[in-house]
Amino acid sequence: MSNRVVCREASHAGSWYTASGPQLNAQLEGWLSQVQSTKRPARAIIAPRSCYLVQSSHSIWSNLFILHFCCYHAGYTYCGSCAAHAYKQVDPSITHKDEFTIIPVLVGALSESKEQEFGKLFSKYLADPSNLFVVSSDFCHWGQRFRYSYYDESQGEIYRSIEHLDKMGMSIIEQLDPVSFSNYLKKYHNTICGRHPIGVLLNAITELQKNGMNMSFSFLNYAQSSQCRNWQDSSVSYAAGALTVH
């Protein structure tokens, strides 16, 4: 058998992120250098859905993608600084060895029972400190192009309403309660693209808590691609957080 390594073309280089390796590395290092590692070592993180295509070279982030859900979405110029808050909590000395495996897991529109089932399956891997789960998800996609325009006028301008909506969901995630998170989604229909991966993670955590494992999740940063003020505007929200085991 041939030992030839096949590299996938970085199809989004020059659009969603710079095509210059040194410039890209400088950007990533810059974002990471501005963030504190207050929740190390993270066992799992939730971070914006950014391009993983560049992770194979240049960036130190390539050592941190061990297990992840979902796929890529936002360009680094929109979500990079927010995502850094999550990745900074990863301790490479724990999750990165001389040899490591990246396991991409695509999560579709699962039912609550399937989220619970897959959460149980993944729980044994989440219990292993040498594994890192990266749950990739943006938060609210607001505007006509996303077919979502929830607006609570009591919160002030539209972008304030979006922030309030997102942070309700973030608070529920921090409670590590998959049932409450599902009920929140049913009530508000917030367009959190990684809601099902988040549901799987929450159910994995619940399974480990049953066995006496003490865990906590904290969101560390929140941002929006733009501030919506009228019905013609649109935006995508980003949040970064980390799961730690005590």
Side-chain angles (χ1 to χ4, degrees):
M1 293 180 64
S2 172
N3 293 324
R4 183 172 61 92
V5 176
V6 178
C7 296
R8 187 181 188 280
E9 180 184 357
S11 59
H12 287 67
S15 57
W16 287 8
Y17 53 88
T18 176
S20 166
Q23 184 179 351
L24 176 60
N25 188 62
Q27 287 178 339
L28 299 180
E29 293 282 6
W31 287 321
L32 288 168
S33 68
Q34 296 173 18
V35 178
Q36 299 297 314
S37 54
T38 57
K39 298 295 179 181
R40 271 194 183 189
R43 187 68 57 88
I45 62 173
I46 294 176
R49 294 200 304 167
S50 52
C51 296
Y52 298 137
L53 305 180
V54 301
Q55 304 315 128
S56 60
S57 63
H58 304 300
S59 170
I60 65 168
W61 289 8
S62 60
N63 299 335
L64 309 181
F65 286 92
I66 310 302
L67 300 173
H68 72 84
F69 293 104
C70 217
C71 55
Y72 59 85
H73 183 268
Y76 283 141
T77 55
Y78 292 102
C79 69
S81 60
C82 178
H85 287 264
Y87 289 101
K88 187 73 171 189
Q89 312 314 316
V90 178
D91 188 341
S93 67
I94 295 177
T95 59
H96 172 55
K97 310 300 181 184
D98 292 334
E99 296 183 6
F100 63 95
T101 303
I102 300 174
I103 305 175
V105 182
L106 295 178
V107 181
L110 301 178
S111 64
E112 291 179 50
S113 61
K114 284 297 182 181
E115 289 180 3
Q116 185 176 18
E117 179 181 340
F118 286 117
K120 289 180 179 179
L121 289 174
F122 281 111
S123 63
K124 66 178 181 179
Y125 301 102
L126 184 62
D128 185 344
S130 66
N131 291 332
L132 169 69
F133 278 72
V134 176
V135 176
S136 53
S137 179
D138 297 337
F139 274 68
C140 184
H141 298 62
W142 195 94
Q144 295 179 11
R145 67 191 181 106
F146 299 118
R147 299 180 181 178
Y148 187 75
S149 56
Y150 172 84
Y151 178 30
D152 180 357
E153 294 183 1
S154 69
Q155 298 301 318
E157 295 203 65
I158 294 173
Y159 72 92
R160 295 290 189 189
S161 171
I162 295 170
E163 180 177 359
H164 183 259
L165 175 67
D166 280 330
K167 290 190 173 179
M168 277 196 290
M170 292 159 65
S171 177
I172 293 171
I173 293 169
E174 290 180 329
Q175 296 169 23
L176 303 179
D177 185 347
V179 175
S180 293
F181 185 60
S182 293
N183 290 338
Y184 160 82
L185 293 170
K186 290 174 184 176
K187 182 175 181 179
Y188 296 102
H189 303 284
N190 193 0
T191 48
I192 302 172
C193 53
R195 56 193 176 275
H196 295 294
I198 292 171
V200 171
L201 176 66
L202 292 177
N203 278 284
I205 294 168
T206 297
E207 189 68 18
L208 294 179
Q209 288 177 323
K210 292 178 183 177
N211 298 323
M213 186 173 288
N214 185 16
M215 315 177 84
S216 65
F217 190 94
S218 299
F219 277 101
L220 306 168
N221 190 257
Y222 174 81
Q224 296 176 358
S225 61
S226 62
Q227 293 185 339
C228 295
R229 290 184 166 85
N230 59 64
W231 296 107
Q232 287 70 48
D233 291 340
S234 64
S235 71
V236 178
S237 304
Y238 309 113
L243 176 75
T244 52
V245 178
H246 307 289

